């Protein structure tokens, strides 16, 4: 199942990564139909996903390693999972996914303040515009009562940024082990909440949890491990933006949750701004 660089073309890698974004994007609408505590949802989803990743690692004979990088990756990944599911329960799916998509900006801030890397003018402009978009979300949430959900969504963006920072240029083995350990940690913390909260486990719920664990999380992360290294950075940036674009669309079409005009404006500002900055960054690196 392991694919060498010569066996996978760039075009195939881009197509696989596009599929990943589409599978990631179905989370929001599925969360809306599961009547369970957010910790329980995150825990069960990650447990099922961990089994999927484990099967991949066994089939490809990947080494099981645990080190500082995988442990840190696991911590931040678990935080991201819990906050993202929780945000979807407390605010609109559009707000949750778009605010998580601010992760690259927090990576930029980390590099500027902690790594003392000199910021370019377009970096500063990107941060400023992104925070304007975030403020618009909060301005809208004050009236709708979703401000706690939006705060949690921003924290999920910070957690996601930390995952990128920790992983850095790690090899595939370290990366996949970090993902596995993050999913197991999420399951270890989240599943016990089933004994302290009210949850409905009917046939529909079980089916949706299986879809979340296998189709929405497990298979996509496995594809990322295989196709990610063969997909150009610029292409990855462009296809990844499909997730925050499609997520609200599925929720609107199926669950009939329509983002407010202010959320729409804030979303356009954040997504377009981060996308443009990522494209410029990747072109500069190239």
């Amino acid at each position: 199942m392991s694919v060498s660089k010569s066996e996978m073309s760039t075009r195939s890698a881009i197509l696989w990564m596009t599929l990943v974004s589409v599978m990631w994007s179905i989370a929001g609408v599925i969360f809306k139909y599961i009547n369970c505590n957010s910790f329980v949802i995150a825990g069960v989803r990650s447990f099922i996903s961990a089994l999927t990743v484990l099967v991949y690692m066994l089939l490809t004979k990947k080494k099981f390693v645990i080190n500082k990088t995988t442990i840190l990756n696991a911590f931040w990944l678990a935080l991201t999972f819990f906050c993202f599911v929780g945000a979807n329960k407390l605010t609109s799916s559009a707000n949750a996914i778009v605010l998580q998509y601010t992760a690259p900006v927090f990576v930029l801030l980390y590099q500027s303040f902690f790594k003392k890397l000199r910021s370019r003018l377009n970096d500063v402009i990107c941060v400023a515009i992104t925070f304007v978009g975030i403020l618009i979300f909060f301005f809208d949430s004050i009236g709708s009562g979703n401000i706690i959900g939006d705060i949690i969504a921003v924290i999920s963006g910070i957690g996601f940024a930390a995952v990128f920072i920790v992983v850095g240029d790690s090899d595939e083995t370290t990366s996949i082990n970090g993902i596995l350990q993050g999913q197991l940690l999420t399951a270890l913390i989240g599943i016990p909440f089933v004994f302290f909260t009210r949850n409905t486990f009917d046939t529909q719920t079980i089916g949706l949890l299986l879809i979340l664990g296998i189709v929405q999380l497990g298979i996509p992360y496995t594809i990322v491990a295989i196709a990610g290294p063969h997909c150009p950075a610029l292409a990855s940036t462009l296809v990844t933006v499909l997730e925050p674009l499609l997520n609200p669309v599925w929720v609107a079409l199926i669950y009939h949750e329509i983002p407010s005009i202010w959320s729409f404006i804030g979303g356009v500002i954040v997504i377009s701004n981060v996308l443009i900055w990522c494209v410029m960054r990747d072109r500069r690196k190239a």
Side-chain angles (χ1 to χ4, degrees):
M1 190 172 177
S2 181
V3 182
S4 68
K5 194 173 184 67
S6 60
E7 292 174 330
M8 175 171 285
S9 66
T10 299
R11 179 178 297 180
S12 297
I14 292 173
L15 290 175
W16 280 114
M17 292 300 291
T18 301
L19 178 61
V20 165
S21 292
V22 174
M23 289 191 287
W24 274 341
S25 72
I26 66 174
V29 68
I30 295 179
F31 290 148
K32 300 297 182 183
Y33 286 99
I34 298 179
N35 186 24
C36 291
N37 176 269
S38 60
F39 277 83
V40 174
I41 295 174
V44 174
R45 179 181 76 146
S46 288
F47 177 74
I48 298 171
S49 177
L51 295 179
T52 306
V53 174
L54 185 60
V55 169
Y56 162 72
M57 292 181 67
L58 291 173
L59 289 175
T60 55
K61 298 181 180 179
K62 295 292 181 187
K63 290 182 179 179
F64 291 93
V65 298
I66 181 168
N67 52 42
K68 180 180 178 181
T69 299
T70 63
I71 292 173
L72 285 174
N73 190 16
F75 169 80
W76 289 111
L77 199 58
L79 177 68
T80 302
F81 287 157
F82 283 126
C83 288
F84 181 61
V85 178
N88 272 274
K89 287 292 187 178
L90 296 172
T91 188
S92 70
S93 292
N95 289 27
I97 186 61
V98 171
L99 290 173
Q100 187 188 59
Y101 192 70
T102 58
V105 174
F106 291 112
V107 173
L108 177 59
L109 289 173
Y110 169 81
Q111 292 175 338
S112 298
F113 288 100
F114 294 97
K115 290 296 185 179
K116 305 300 181 181
L117 297 181
R118 185 177 179 181
S119 298
R120 297 170 180 264
L121 178 60
N122 61 333
D123 295 337
V124 177
I125 293 174
C126 172
V127 172
I129 294 177
T130 299
F131 277 102
V132 168
I134 292 175
L135 287 175
I136 290 175
F137 275 106
F138 282 108
F139 173 78
D140 180 55
S141 295
I142 291 174
S144 62
N146 295 336
I147 191 166
I148 300 299
D150 286 352
I151 292 173
I152 294 175
V154 172
I155 295 174
S156 77
I158 296 173
F160 204 31
V163 171
F164 287 120
I165 293 169
V166 170
V167 173
D169 297 322
S170 299
D171 55 47
E172 181 183 332
T173 299
T174 301
S175 178
I176 199 69
N177 274 276
I179 290 171
L180 176 65
Q181 291 164 31
Q183 291 169 341
L184 291 175
L185 179 60
T186 305
L188 183 65
I189 297 173
I191 292 178
F193 275 81
V194 73
F195 301 109
F196 313 110
T197 57
R198 291 186 177 182
N199 304 278
T200 302
F201 288 104
D202 51 19
T203 304
Q204 174 180 295
T205 298
I206 294 173
L208 292 176
L209 286 171
L210 286 171
I211 292 174
L212 279 175
I214 299 172
V215 179
Q216 191 272 325
L217 201 63
I219 294 176
Y221 270 114
T222 304
I223 294 175
V224 168
I226 299 173
H230 311 287
C231 187
L234 181 57
S236 292
T237 298
L238 294 175
V239 299
T240 301
V241 79
L242 285 174
E243 183 188 3
L245 291 177
L246 291 176
N247 187 307
V249 171
W250 306 141
V251 177
L253 291 176
I254 300 173
Y255 192 73
H256 307 299
E257 178 186 86
I258 309 298
S260 69
I261 184 63
W262 286 110
S263 291
F264 179 78
I265 293 172
V268 169
I269 291 174
V270 170
I271 293 175
S272 59
N273 179 58
V274 173
L275 177 62
I276 291 171
W277 177 79
C278 287
V279 169
M280 294 175 64
R281 175 204 61 188
D282 292 334
R283 284 183 173 178
R284 188 166 65 237
K285 286 182 179 179

